[in-house]
């Protein structure tokens, strides 16, 4: 069962722990020795939670966070020894500890223990590490094809006093600005080198 915590960012928020979930056989994805330790030995991470943030403005602003809660794994975590690999329907996380490795591997989707409600883009997924304190994986959906990094754009309909001079200028999309779920902006570098955060309607 999952416990609803209420909205945190104008979206849906959920929290669940592995020990309270029907894992649908997914526990077999992890080696989980009870007492072994030593080089090459892997201990499965079974204590984790998730939050899902659903934007009211755009589908590609959705996010799904997987939060590691295993104290032993977190104590070993550094930015150098945390390795995350993302695929369209699964991810794997390895924390390389001094005595043994910690690993979490899970598939996700509507019929799994991680009910991600959007199509995940591996290129936009990230892992956030606060050494010894926090490891969090962030799954994100793909961006619209017309606004992908590298695409050329022309600025238009800018209204503010400082920006109106830029109407008609050309630039290149550098990426999506992740932040507020309900404020959609892209990082754009103009041909003269100036960098801006631009809304889709102004390109």
């Amino acid at each position: 069962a999952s416990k609803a915590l209420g909205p945190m960012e104008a979206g849906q928020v959920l929290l669940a722990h592995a020990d309270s979930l029907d894992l649908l056989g997914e526990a077999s994805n992890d080696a989980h020795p009870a007492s072994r330790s030593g080089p090459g030995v892997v201990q499965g991470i079974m204590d984790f939670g998730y939050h899902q943030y659903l934007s009211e403005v755009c589908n590609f602003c959705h996010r799904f966070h997987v939060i590691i809660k295993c104290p032993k794994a977190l104590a070993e975590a550094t930015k150098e020894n945390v390795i995350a690999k993302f695929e369209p329907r699964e991810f794997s996380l390895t924390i390389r500890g001094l005595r043994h490795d910690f690993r979490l591997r899970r598939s996700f989707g509507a019929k799994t223990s991680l009910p991600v409600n959007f199509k995940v883009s591996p290129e936009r997924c990230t892992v956030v590490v606060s050494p010894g304190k926090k490891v969090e994986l962030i799954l994100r959906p793909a961006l619209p094809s017309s606004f992908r990094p590298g695409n050329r754009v022309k600025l238009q309909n800018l209204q503010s006093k400082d920006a109106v001079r830029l109407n008609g200028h050309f630039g290149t999309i550098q990426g999506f600005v992740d932040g507020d779920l309900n404020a959609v902006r892209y990082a754009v570098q103009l041909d003269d080198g100036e960098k801006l955060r631009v809304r889709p309607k102004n390109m």
Side-chain angles (χ1 to χ4, degrees), residues 33-34 36 43 78 84 94 113 119 148 170-171 181 188 192 203:
R36 294 170 57 199
Q43 179 175 328
T78 68
T94 301
S113 60
K119 185 177 180 181
R148 289 182 178 169
F170 289 86
L181 289 177
V188 175
D192 63 6
M203 295 187 287

Side-chain angles (χ1 to χ4, degrees), residues 84 86 121-128 136-140 178:
F86 299 97
S121 172
E123 295 79 12
R124 293 193 66 215
C125 297
T126 55
V127 60
V128 178
E136 187 169 342
L137 298 99
I138 305 176
L139 310 180
R140 297 183 175 90
D178 286 300

